[in-house]
Structure formats: structure tokens, C-alpha cells
Amino acid sequence: QKEVEQNSGPLSVPEGAIASLNCTYSDRGSQSFFWYRQYSGKSPELIMFIYSNGDKEDGRFTAQLNKASQYVSLLIRDSQPSDSATYLCAVPPGGGADGLTFGKGTHLIIQP
Amino acid sequence: SQTIHQWPATLVQPVGSPLSLECTVEGTSNPNLYWYRQAAGRGLQLLFYSVGIGQISSEVPQNLSASRPQDRQFILSSKKLLLSDSGFYLCAWAVNTEAFFGQGTRLTVV
């Protein structure tokens, strides 16, 4: 059973600070990792993906991957109230055609 | 560019009634297609996926079925809805392993 674990939160961060979201996964063979953002009542949207160990930066977002520890994180710099949402970590369980396994998500609240 | 259409956006159905949700994709050929469900307070659960016309794989045994009558059309059905079928249903298409979601259908079974 492939599992993806996230702290459900809520995680409350003041505006302008760095928000740190964490995810662990059980399948040591996983090769790619995805972060989705989901606003309340809306569908998830892909914001970052990472394949290699280390950091990947895209604007205010940085994804960090540590395959040895089976740990992936998402950092949001200069947090804005519009970043308030649920962030979902996802991992393809097999070759990729059979869909993504999602964590339950972390609810992030940016306090103005 | 690729777009995915899913309808209706909201649906209220009585217990025991049938269900049909439709999803179509534009701008790509032979996409992998998926149906997910997100119940209140729970994560996204993969229900069905399809790698081609007429090819359906079921992840969770349940009251639902899926069909893919055309390359870019994916349909989720039920003959008789249960209260437990309530949730947010999401269609998605994927290139490589990156999945992109439709707007979702919020189904309430009463």
C-alpha cells in the first residue's frame, strides 16, 4: 500500500513569513513528486514538481526532496493571504499511468 | 493548449437515482484519464483510470462504474446512488505523471 502522509494542520503563518509544508512517502521507489494547491470548493492545481534530490525553485515556491529520508517539502517565501489554501502532496505509485496517490493535504492559513 | 471540461458543477440527487458525470479533454490525443473522489475531510481517492478507448481500471470496488466511449471522453456512472456516494468528483488527464484536473462536480445524495 503506497502511502503519502501530511500534517492536516491548520498551519498558521503570518503574512510575509516563510511557510513550510512537509510530506513523507512510503514507496522508496518513487521517482517524482508533485505539489498541488486547492482553494476551498475548487479543484487542485499543479504548482510544483520535483524529480531530483535537492531544491527546485519557481518564483516564491521551493520544493525540496530527500529520497534517502523519503521526505519532500514545499517552502513558500513572502507568504501572501492568497496563498491560504490546502496543499496536497502527490506521488505516482507505479509507472505513472495508474494515477497519483495523494496525501490528505495541509490546510495553510496566512494571517494578514 | 489542453483543456478539460467537466459537468455539471453541482448536482443534488436522491438515494437510488442514477448518475452520469461527463468529462471531455481538448487539445491532446490518447490522454490517460482519471476519476477521483474527495469526500468531506478526506483525501483524493482514485476511482478509475483509463489509458485508452474501452480500457477501464478500477481502483476501489464500489457502486460506481466508468466508461470511455471516445478517446477524449470519460464518463462516471451509477445505477443507484447511495448516501455514501456524496462528494467532490474530479476528472483529470495526465501527460507523463503530471495530472491536470477539471473543475469538479459536487454531488450531494439526499
Side-chain angles (χ1 to χ4, degrees):
Chain A
Q1 180 76 19
K2 312 296 191 295
E3 293 185 353
V4 179
E5 300 289 339
Q6 295 181 259
N7 188 321
S8 62
L11 174 65
S12 186
V13 174
E15 184 176 358
I18 296 175
S20 178
L21 304 162
N22 304 315
C23 172
T24 58
Y25 57 95
S26 63
D27 183 10
R28 190 169 284 278
S30 296
Q31 296 297 315
S32 54
F33 307 86
F34 301 85
W35 283 101
Y36 286 80
R37 177 177 61 200
Q38 186 176 24
Y39 292 114
S40 180
K42 302 296 184 182
S43 60
E45 57 178 323
L46 180 65
I47 54 172
M48 287 283 290
F49 61 88
I50 186 167
Y51 299 111
S52 304
N53 271 332
D55 295 359
K56 178 182 178 182
E57 187 174 317
D58 183 1
R60 295 188 295 113
F61 298 95
T62 300
Q64 299 177 319
L65 175 60
N66 184 327
K67 290 186 178 181
S69 300
Q70 295 175 245
Y71 178 95
V72 58
S73 64
L74 179 70
L75 303 178
I76 306 174
R77 292 184 300 280
D78 188 23
S79 298
Q80 303 296 310
S82 59
D83 295 325
S84 297
T86 297
Y87 289 81
L88 304 169
C89 175
V91 177
D98 48 348
L100 294 170
T101 298
F102 284 84
K104 293 184 178 180
T106 298
H107 184 204
L108 175 66
I109 299 172
I110 305 301
Q111 295 179 323
Chain B
S1 63
Q2 299 86 358
T3 57
I4 180 167
H5 303 281
Q6 186 182 343
W7 65 93
T10 59
L11 193 58
V12 180
Q13 291 284 104
V15 169
S17 64
L19 173 73
S20 180
L21 301 180
E22 189 167 342
C23 169
T24 59
V25 180
E26 295 178 358
T28 185
S29 295
N30 198 29
N32 293 334
L33 297 174
Y34 307 86
W35 280 109
Y36 287 87
R37 177 173 61 198
Q38 190 174 38
R42 302 183 65 179
L44 277 162
Q45 179 186 36
L46 179 63
L47 303 176
F48 300 95
Y49 69 92
S50 172
V51 299
I53 295 174
Q55 301 179 61
I56 307 295
S57 296
S58 174
E59 289 295 301
V60 182
Q62 58 210 322
N63 186 40
L64 302 170
S65 62
S67 62
R68 186 168 177 175
Q70 300 179 43
D71 181 44
R72 287 171 281 184
Q73 183 184 30
F74 205 23
I75 298 172
L76 182 70
S77 304
S78 175
K79 292 182 179 178
K80 289 186 177 181
L81 284 169
L82 306 172
L83 286 174
S84 58
D85 291 324
S86 293
F88 191 37
Y89 287 81
L90 292 154
C91 180
W93 74 277
V95 56
N96 298 321
T97 52
E98 298 167 39
F100 301 91
F101 289 88
Q103 67 171 9
T105 296
R106 180 129 349 245
L107 172 66
T108 304
V109 182
V110 296

